[in-house]
Amino acid sequence: MIRQSRTSPAGSERSLHQAYDTALLDLDGVVYAGGHAIAHAVESLAAARAGGMHLAYVTNNALRTPEAVAEHLGELGIPTEAGEVITSAQAVARLIAEQVEPGSKVLVIGGEGLRVALRERGLVPVDSADEEGLAAVVQGYGGPGLEWGRFAEAAYAINRGVPWYASNTDLTIPGARGIAPGNGAAVEVVRIATGADPQVAGKPLPPMHRETVLRTGAERPLVVGDRLDTDIEGAFNGDVDSLLVLTGVTDAEQLLRAEPRHRPTYVDRDLRGLLTGQPEVAERQGAWSCGRWSAAHAGTHLELTRAGEGEGDPVDGLRALCAAAWSAAGEGSYGHDVEKALAVLGW
């Protein structure tokens, strides 16, 4: 296995679906956006599975149950069993169950996914902060219809000293119409009202990685995601490799400016990257090349050039730019101007 690189995207002679036994796939922004499959996702996942790769769908979205997620994937043309879906609701339910008595009451601020996960761990979901013997408050994404009064209910209990848990703290969530506030934004509302901090289970934190490994039994996993601060950082924290796909919230400039824990092992346009090898990025005399592209530092900015005839793959150009940017940044923040170089690629 090629371990995660902090100075440039890695190469792989073998296709990724052959080099790794299990793909740990994020959903929103990777497999689908809103109710629709992302381009090339359905056929790429089918080919990866046919080639022997196990597929597991790992999501910080705690709203829906694994059964509902599997049904949705099936409707999109991706046959999926409920056991192949791992949610942050499951991870936070395990975390709570390890800290409270069996059969404890837990105030739920969120959707059905949280309630089902709590019952699976022998806990009792309730709706009121005034429940006698309340042991915990858990907050997860509840969708656009979650009433404002639910945040107040959480605040009442937390201000009385009831322990607070959150499935995840993603500030945004991608959808069919664009980027919307995520559970992290709702968590901030309760934090402002209480001054408290929740225990968080979801990506990029260890409880989610542990839940995923326990449920999948993956030995050579590859995390596949669209977010640097959850998917890629979660892979970094779990010491496993990662593939960033450019179909969700992360854009090219954010990738170039990524700090070490947010740098993926591989970068590709979409899930077709699972079915191919990954090109090497080579450094020679202060320039980094990938395919027909070469990136180098030129004063306060990056310079990108193309060699030979033909357009060249823009993703190769982005890989070369990543190597140049990350090498210059080291462990700190990258300060060079990247706009001109990205403009050459059309980004």
Side-chain angles (χ1 to χ4, degrees):
M1 183 187 303
I2 302 169
R3 305 311 281 171
Q4 183 160 347
S5 171
R6 295 192 179 190
T7 57
S8 71
S12 174
E13 292 185 359
R14 301 176 65 193
S15 64
L16 298 186
H17 78 290
Q18 295 172 333
Y20 298 88
D21 70 341
T22 306
L24 306 180
L25 295 132
D26 185 45
L27 287 172
D28 293 304
V30 175
V31 178
Y32 55 64
H36 304 284
I38 288 173
H40 309 293
V42 174
E43 56 267 38
S44 296
L45 292 173
R49 187 190 292 273
M53 188 178 221
H54 299 294
L55 305 179
Y57 301 93
V58 185
T59 178
N60 264 358
N61 190 331
L63 177 60
R64 294 187 294 173
T65 65
E67 288 77 11
V69 173
E71 182 179 356
H72 180 205
L73 289 170
E75 292 170 351
L76 296 178
I78 306 170
T80 307
E81 300 292 334
E84 296 174 308
V85 179
I86 300 94
T87 73
S88 63
Q90 294 171 321
V92 77
R94 187 186 297 269
L95 184 64
I96 295 170
E98 292 172 343
Q99 299 181 29
V100 304
E101 295 295 323
S104 293
K105 297 177 182 178
V106 179
L107 173 61
V108 176
I109 312 300
E112 185 63 16
L114 278 176
R115 297 175 184 274
V116 170
L118 290 169
R119 295 189 189 103
E120 182 184 36
R121 293 290 156 204
L123 302 171
V124 180
V126 299
D127 293 316
S128 173
D130 296 329
E131 285 278 353
E132 185 177 351
L134 189 64
V137 177
V138 63
Q139 188 171 357
Y141 183 67
L146 187 65
E147 297 180 356
W148 186 260
R150 301 306 297 155
F151 303 142
E153 207 67 29
Y156 300 148
I158 295 164
N159 282 327
R160 295 170 189 163
V162 178
W164 178 27
Y165 300 81
S167 64
N168 68 296
T169 53
D170 297 21
L171 292 174
T172 60
I173 184 168
R177 297 174 60 194
I179 303 298
N183 190 55
V187 166
E188 288 304 310
V189 171
V190 177
R191 193 196 308 270
I192 290 169
T194 63
D197 291 307
Q199 292 188 55
V200 183
K203 296 179 287 186
L205 297 172
M208 188 66 172
H209 183 71
R210 179 183 58 160
E211 190 73 20
T212 301
V213 171
L214 286 172
R215 288 180 180 268
T216 64
E219 296 181 357
R220 301 188 314 281
L222 177 70
V223 170
V224 185
D226 70 309
R227 301 183 69 107
L228 301 179
D229 59 349
T230 55
D231 305 315
I232 305 308
E233 185 176 340
F236 179 84
N237 290 339
D239 194 27
V240 299
D241 291 348
S242 60
L243 167 66
L244 178 79
V245 291
L246 301 171
T247 50
V249 301
T250 299
D251 62 27
E253 183 171 351
Q254 291 170 328
L255 178 60
L256 293 182
R257 299 189 187 282
E259 54 188 293
R261 71 177 186 272
H262 292 164
R263 297 172 186 170
T265 313
Y266 310 105
V267 177
D268 222 312
R269 184 178 285 101
D270 50 51
L271 285 176
R272 288 176 293 180
L274 286 174
L275 307 177
T276 65
Q278 294 288 309
E280 292 283 352
V281 180
E283 189 273 332
R284 183 179 181 184
Q285 297 180 343
W288 288 261
S289 62
C290 184
R292 294 180 175 176
W293 297 95
S294 179
H297 308 130
T300 60
H301 66 277
L302 287 183
E303 185 175 73
L304 184 67
T305 57
R306 184 176 58 218
E309 297 182 359
E311 294 184 359
D313 186 346
V315 180
D316 284 344
L318 181 59
R319 294 177 181 119
L321 283 171
C322 284
W326 298 349
S327 175
E331 297 293 319
S333 61
Y334 181 70
H336 282 66
D337 177 16
V338 300
E339 291 184 2
K340 292 176 65 176
L342 289 175
V344 173
L345 296 174
W347 266 304

